[in-house]
Amino acid sequence: MEKVENYYADYDKKENLSFDSKVVHGALGCDPISGAVSFPIFQSATFRHRDFGVSTGYDYSRLQNPTRQELERTMAILEEGVEAFAFTSGQAASMSVFDYLKRGEHCLLCDDLYGGTHRIVEDIFKVNGIEISYVDMFDLENVKKAIQPNTKMVFLETPTNPMMKVGDIKGIAKIAHAAGALFVVDNTFMTPYFQRPLTLGADIVVHSGTKYLCGHNDVVAGMVVIKDEALSHHFHIQLKSLGSGLGPMDSWLIIRGIKTLSLRMKKHNENAKIVAEWLRNHPKVKKVYYVGFEDHPGYEMNLSQASGFGGMISFELDSEESARKLLSNVKMVLFAESLGGTETLVTYPITQTHEDVPDDIRRALGINEAFIRISVGIEDPQDIIDDLEQALNS
Ligand SMILES: Cc1ncc(COP(=O)(O)O)c(C=O)c1O
């Protein structure tokens, strides 16, 4: 089909701008036709062809949509990749990543993972003939030993959800590539504000866009960003065939969320440090898992590859009773699943995010009835602490 003028074809990658400016100005930023400063929401399922054999470059929104494209281009700019793809959820994004594997191939994953990712590989891909294994990726020797002749993908979260283990992105990339495998990093916790895995050797970055990218707990979304154009076809086919592309309204909300990503991440980072210190000194808290503590085993590694620690903390209380008390009695802090929004959330992994992970695996990691995950929001940190204190003492 012949293409006519596409006003959205060319955009500036803004390589001369700093990250804080890139988040605000996106790819095109303004609408090139009307000049609208807020990029339009193209709430259209299909696009008119002016003549036989003539297209504007947009045909049908399952394939491409200018609003989704603006988000995808923005994410490619921020993660320093060649192309990005926006999905209806982080799970849909991960599904498309694992769908790259063929029957008989092996995928190696870190042993601590978001429960939904564990469910995808166990209940769908393993059942369909993909070999799956897990290893603690903090130690590179473990990764080397776990590589098999048919390993085609290595998948890392760093820091992990919920145990906050750190993996060496550069080191694992070398091992994966020597084995001829793709290296995928889930960058949900750090976001490109703190960590850009594609610049450290990863081939694919995946995100739950629901979290910090959106930032306001009002959209479920996922992102994939790739470093090599050779991967582009796979993800285009996935979006085109599965129809799992993010809708225009939700794409716009994520574009808007990203505009304040830098401001929010700075505040999450500051607040989490204060809350983590307070937790560590609380008599009812047995252990705090936070990558910003100098005595965290992954502290140095995290600092070598990320410019901050993020807003996530996990901790173990002295008893199940204390955990129940905390979850039942918080007032400003919200007892809810998810993370990365402006509001501080407390989550109970054993019955929420990691419900489907087998109990022996959960217990070996340290996820028990007294274990809580907190996503520290951007409120006044003293209000967060006061609320947690009153809930623990109720
Ligand atoms: C690290 C991580 N990756 C992926 C996902 C899945 O994302 P979504 O809930 O948007 O499908 C989550 C969700 O909590 C997550 O925490």
Side-chain angles (χ1 to χ4, degrees), residues 89-91 114 117 157 161 186 188-189 208-211 220-221 339 373:
S89 67
Q91 290 284 91
Y114 166 58
T117 309
E157 277 181 20
N161 180 2
D186 183 330
T188 301
F189 273 26
S208 168
T210 319
K211 311 300 193 283
V220 174
L339 63 105
R373 193 189 72 188

Side-chain angles (χ1 to χ4, degrees), residues 35-54:
V37 167
S38 167
F39 197 85
I41 303 166
F42 286 86
Q43 195 68 48
S44 186
T46 191
F47 298 83
R48 177 192 171 209
H49 298 307
R50 282 202 222 149
D51 201 348
F52 186 78
V54 174

Side-chain angles (χ1 to χ4, degrees), residues 123-363:
D123 292 359
I124 299 177
F125 289 91
K126 202 167 168 178
V127 171
N128 287 340
I130 307 294
E131 289 175 30
I132 301 292
S133 60
Y134 308 90
V135 76
D136 182 347
M137 292 197 180
F138 179 63
D139 184 346
L140 289 183
E141 282 308 309
N142 289 342
V143 183
K144 275 186 203 157
K145 280 188 207 141
I147 294 281
Q148 298 175 15
N150 59 343
T151 304
K152 292 291 174 222
M153 186 177 285
V154 177
F155 188 99
L156 173 76
E157 277 181 20
T158 181
T160 60
N161 180 2
M163 303 312 299
M164 310 295 159
K165 293 187 189 182
V166 176
D168 172 354
I169 298 176
K170 272 190 191 161
I172 299 171
K174 275 194 199 136
I175 298 169
H177 293 156
L182 282 178
F183 180 39
V184 185
V185 177
D186 183 330
N187 204 27
T188 301
F189 273 26
M190 281 288 149
T191 82
Y193 178 75
F194 285 128
Q195 174 172 279
R196 278 162 237 156
L198 299 182
T199 67
L200 300 166
D203 302 293
I204 299 175
V205 157
V206 64
H207 277 276
S208 168
T210 319
K211 311 300 193 283
Y212 291 106
L213 297 176
C214 167
H216 297 77
N217 284 321
D218 49 12
V219 182
V220 174
M223 297 297 314
V224 165
V225 192
I226 57 171
K227 193 165 79 177
D228 184 348
E229 262 162 29
L231 292 165
S232 170
H233 180 67
H234 168 77
F235 290 104
H236 278 292
I237 291 291
Q238 289 280 320
L239 285 176
K240 195 172 178 176
S241 310
L242 297 175
S244 49
L246 193 62
M249 179 71 202
D250 286 350
S251 295
W252 184 84
L253 282 164
I254 306 276
I255 293 169
R256 188 168 74 165
I258 286 175
K259 284 179 192 279
T260 55
L261 183 68
S262 296
L263 287 175
R264 287 185 285 106
M265 292 315 289
K266 272 181 213 153
K267 183 69 172 158
H268 285 297
N269 196 58
E270 279 169 27
N271 280 5
K273 262 190 199 171
I274 297 167
V275 173
E277 281 300 340
W278 174 81
L279 281 169
R280 176 127 99 167
N281 292 312
H282 197 283
K284 288 191 177 160
V285 177
K286 257 171 86 176
K287 185 162 182 183
V288 181
Y289 300 85
Y290 171 60
V291 284
F293 284 149
E294 284 181 28
D295 57 0
H296 183 287
Y299 176 82
E300 293 295 338
M301 178 52 61
N302 186 71
L303 262 191
S304 74
Q305 60 192 17
S307 57
F309 309 107
M312 297 303 298
I313 307 167
S314 294
F315 56 99
E316 188 183 341
L317 286 162
D318 57 359
S319 65
E320 179 176 355
E321 196 201 337
S322 294
R324 284 177 182 248
K325 222 183 219 187
L326 178 83
L327 297 171
S328 303
N329 292 303
V330 280
K331 290 181 181 155
M332 180 194 80
V333 171
L334 307 171
F335 172 25
E337 214 155 332
S338 203
L339 63 105
T342 48
E343 303 82 7
T344 298
L345 303 186
V346 278
T347 301
Y348 199 40
I350 199 157
T351 61
Q352 293 187 309
T353 51
H354 291 68
E355 187 189 13
D356 292 337
V357 176
D359 201 44
D360 56 328
I361 298 181
R362 282 196 308 228
R363 289 197 190 272

